[in-house]
Each structure stands twice: as structure tokens, then as C-alpha cells.
């Protein structure tokens, strides 16, 4: 059975990233992001806003970049995979949650110290991800040179 697990999110950090180093030497940064949606209520015509909160884990060098450049409130663009976690609490109740494992992150805005940074990508694979040739994604192709017909466009 075929499957595809990919999410793309853009929002703001809800807390400062928490960087940890595992005994294996791998680094992981955990943080949350919030995405806001504005819409008009059809019955009342009133503008409303709803928020969605997501926990994110970034691994390796990507985790270190997130920890170095982002703080609570920083805008971020993430491409990753959904991960489902379930567990049982001490009192016997079952809990579960969805989170995102970041595969690609784009920093949006400037550095903490207000220096110009420009948007940049941080690509990384989580520690358990396959590293074969099938798991590599090529960068988008550069746009081709403009054709002679581009001058005919009136705008």
C-alpha cells in the first residue's frame, strides 16, 4: 500500500527551542509553533481567528541552527513528517499526540541581534531516517533563461 507523509507549516514559535544532546552525540531541538487562520463567520459576518499549535523536533545541525537563530515569536517555515506518539499515564489513562519531525526549515526574518540574515534553508535528516539515494531530495530547478516571447508580455 502506498503512503505519503509530508506536511508544510508556517507559523511562529510558541516557546524558545530546547536543545538537547543525546548520548549518541546527536542533537535535538524541541519547540512549538502556532499557525493562525482568519476567516469570516458565514452566519454573523464577523471576522474570527483560530490557532493551531504543533510540537516540532529538529535533529542534528538543523537543531543547532534553530537553537542559535530562533526564539519565542520567531517566524518559521517547516517541511516535515507527522509522527504519532501514544503512551499510558501512571493512573492508567491513555494519551496520544501528533507532532512534526522537521526535515527542512526556512528561517524567516532577521537574527536575534537584528543583523541582516536573509532567508536560508536548514536541511537535515533525523537520526533514524534512511540515507540512501532514494531519500535525497533535489533542490528545485533554476528557472530557465527568459525566452524571446517574454518581451511581448504587456506587464
Amino acid at each position: 500500500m502506498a503512503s505519503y507523509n509530508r506536511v508544510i507549516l508556517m507559523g511562529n514559535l510558541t516557546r524558545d527551542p530546547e536543545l538537547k544532546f543525546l548520548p549518541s552525540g546527536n542533537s535535538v531541538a524541541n519547540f512549538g509553533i502556532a499557525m493562525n487562520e482568519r476567516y469570516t463567520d458565514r452566519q454573523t459576518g464577523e471576522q474570527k481567528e483560530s490557532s493551531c499549535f504543533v510540537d516540532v523536533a529538529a535533529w542534528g545541525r538543523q537543531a543547532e541552527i534553530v537553537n542559535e537563530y530562533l526564539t519565542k515569536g520567531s517566524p518559521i517555515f517547516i517541511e516535515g513528517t507527522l509522527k504519532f506518539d501514544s503512551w499510558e499515564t501512571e493512573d492508567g489513562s491513555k494519551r496520544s499526540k501528533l507532532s512534526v519531525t522537521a526535515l527542512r526549515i526556512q528561517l524567516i526574518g532577521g537574527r536575534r541581534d537584528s543583523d541582516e540574515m536573509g532567508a536560508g534553508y536548514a536541511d537535515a535528516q533525523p537520526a533514524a531516517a534512511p540515507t540512501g539515494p532514494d531519500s535525497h531530495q533535489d533542490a528545485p530547478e533554476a528557472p530557465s533563461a527568459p525566452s524571446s516571447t517574454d518581451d511581448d508580455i504587456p506587464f
Side-chain angles (χ1 to χ4, degrees):
M1 180 175 169
S3 64
Y4 186 76
N5 181 2
R6 193 64 55 137
V7 294
I8 297 173
L9 305 170
M10 188 166 85
N12 294 64
L13 270 66
T14 60
R15 61 182 185 273
D16 289 342
E18 299 172 16
L19 182 66
K20 296 178 184 175
F21 290 91
L22 304 176
S24 64
N26 287 338
S27 54
V28 59
N30 293 302
F31 55 95
I33 64 170
M35 288 81 49
N36 298 320
E37 176 186 12
R38 291 185 183 168
Y39 61 95
T40 303
D41 186 317
R42 289 185 179 186
Q43 294 177 344
T44 65
E46 179 182 352
Q47 285 279 67
K48 294 194 172 186
E49 186 171 318
S50 66
S51 298
C52 179
F53 300 94
V54 178
D55 289 329
V56 180
W59 293 86
R61 178 68 181 131
Q62 178 176 254
E64 296 167 20
I65 290 169
V66 166
N67 186 61
E68 182 178 350
Y69 293 107
L70 301 179
T71 58
K72 180 179 178 178
S74 298
I76 189 169
F77 182 89
I78 297 173
E79 181 180 349
T81 59
L82 281 177
K83 181 181 175 198
F84 179 75
D85 291 315
S86 61
W87 66 95
E88 192 170 310
T89 62
E90 291 180 8
D91 65 359
S93 62
K94 293 184 179 183
R95 304 283 177 158
S96 62
K97 76 173 186 173
L98 283 172
S99 61
V100 172
T101 301
L103 299 177
R104 183 176 176 156
I105 289 178
Q106 183 173 355
L107 307 179
I108 302 171
R111 291 184 182 201
R112 290 182 197 164
D113 58 5
S114 300
D115 287 347
E116 290 288 324
M117 180 178 69
Y121 286 99
D123 291 329
Q125 293 291 327
T131 57
D134 294 337
S135 67
H136 176 71
Q137 289 186 346
D138 294 328
E141 292 184 23
S144 60
S147 70
S148 61
T149 60
D150 285 345
D151 293 338
D152 300 333
I153 299 173
F155 51 90

